[in-house]
Amino acid sequence: MDSAGITMRVLKFGGTSVGNAGNLARVRDIVKARSPRPVVVVSAHAGVTDELLTQARAAAAGKYSLRRLRSRHTRLYKELGIDPAVVAPVFDELNDLLRGLTLVGELTPRSLDLVASFGERLSARGIAEFFRQGDLPAVATDAFDLGLRTDSRFTQATPDAVCFPAVRKALRALKDQLPVVTGFIAKDQNGDITTLGRSGSDFTATLLGAALGVSEVEIWTDVDGVMTADPRVVKKARSIPTLSIAEASELAYYGARVIHPATMLPAIEKRIPVSVRNTSRPELEGTTIVAEGGANRGTVKSIAYKRGIILITVASTRMLLQSGFMAKIFEVFARYDLSVDLVATSEVTVSVTIDTDRHLKDVKRDLTAIAKVDIERDLAQVCVVGDGIREKIGAAAEVFGVLKKRRIPVRLISHGGTKINISFLIDDEQVNRAVRALHRSLFE
Ligand code: ADP
Ligand code: ASP
Ligand code: MG
């Protein structure tokens, strides 16, 4: 209940859910069936953000084309029976921006975010128009106009909860309407448009949910919920009825693409349940993520993986045990705003993993100044998650037994501070095999 005594919800629809006319008709039905009226958060239509980023790079290199983006939207609008004129001014603005980029000939993270923001600015307008034609009082709303603020770390901005009261007030002012809010984007203190990182619309949904104090946030997507593994890798993956917030956070952070890594953060503080549901099968319950797990507490829940992992091993025979050496190593990563995933130490080495090669040269140079550095690429990180890992003896033995049987060498192991995950590194080319074998043993 919010303080007005109304049980409100935020419903977020992802790129595929808003990607074609058939799905959008289902989205409209789902929204229509809700009372009181929810707040709707939308992603760009599937494929649009990728194309925008491609054209941003092309423009900075001298030549771009809006042909694909225009025809993507025109075709969809035709199927929906709406007039493309609703987005004509947005396309004009995008065209001016890209032309500007051809003149300056360079692409900063700030202009990359500005270009990327057009995906959601377009989709919110088109979807609101489609809703209006179905007799819903929809208004397209840019999240920054609600007051959603972040820092200025373009392409990966962090929201500032200080803006919540303003967002709440702005959303309340729309209470007789149906706000269709842009996911993914916000503005910084200077008024520049920022993005919350790829897949960030999930995060927008829980941020708005926390600002409003809603009773639930629903993430509507193209699978039956959070599943026991990525269904694109494991055919027999199945939907998990309930997850604890801690389990869902670990899964998201360690690569389960179905929710953006930061999605659960706003929900944790306000203890707001989050559900993950399939737009194509609205009759299913999907997955409910609640503070303390549910009926399936005490089991192993899911396997996540992340590819493109880099392992950095720092070796020092003299200095490792001296106080301050570890701090020096981590200070190097902090200097370049890199977050470290797994960490393992031995008497003379410290190994850490990162999931990007951004600033890798700088990191190598700075670390080499204090120790011997070895860098390995093409690794994958696999993570088995579930509160059953903490409670059940032998979960780790089972995981590593499976890998041993398949002769998949394991590079680095971490049991996580929360004891609800077991993470390890393997060669990238082994990742599908490893995930399938683990799934068979743990869930089939
Ligand atoms: P949306 O556009 O709705 O945000 P995403 O593509 O971002 O959807 O996320 C949904 C996809 O996440 C699924 O199609 C699936 O391939 C992938 N995925 C990866 N791991 C999982 C998992 N454990 N459970 C469900 N889906 C997963
Ligand atoms: N449109 C953005 C992306 O493709 C955000 C999202 O879909 O959540 O990453
Ligand atoms: Mg997503």
Side-chain angles (χ1 to χ4, degrees), residues 12-17 43 199 201-202 219-232 240 251 255-259 276 302-305:
K12 176 260 171 178
F13 296 92
T16 317
S17 302
S43 288
S199 285
S201 302
D202 302 329
I219 310 268
W220 289 84
T221 183
D222 60 355
V223 285
D224 290 346
V226 181
M227 307 185 77
T228 46
D230 183 348
R232 284 178 209 201
I240 307 161
L251 282 171
R257 193 161 54 92
V258 64
I259 45 177
V276 180
S302 185
I303 308 162
Y305 66 91

Side-chain angles (χ1 to χ4, degrees), residues 259-298:
I259 45 177
H260 174 283
T263 308
M264 299 314 302
L265 295 177
I268 294 174
E269 261 167 54
K270 306 267 168 124
R271 297 175 86 83
I272 299 169
V274 174
S275 61
V276 180
R277 305 183 61 175
N278 191 340
T279 301
S280 300
R281 308 217 287 164
E283 68 282 5
L284 301 181
E285 298 272 341
T287 300
T288 308
I289 304 165
V290 287
E292 284 306 328
N296 53 351
R297 273 200 73 231

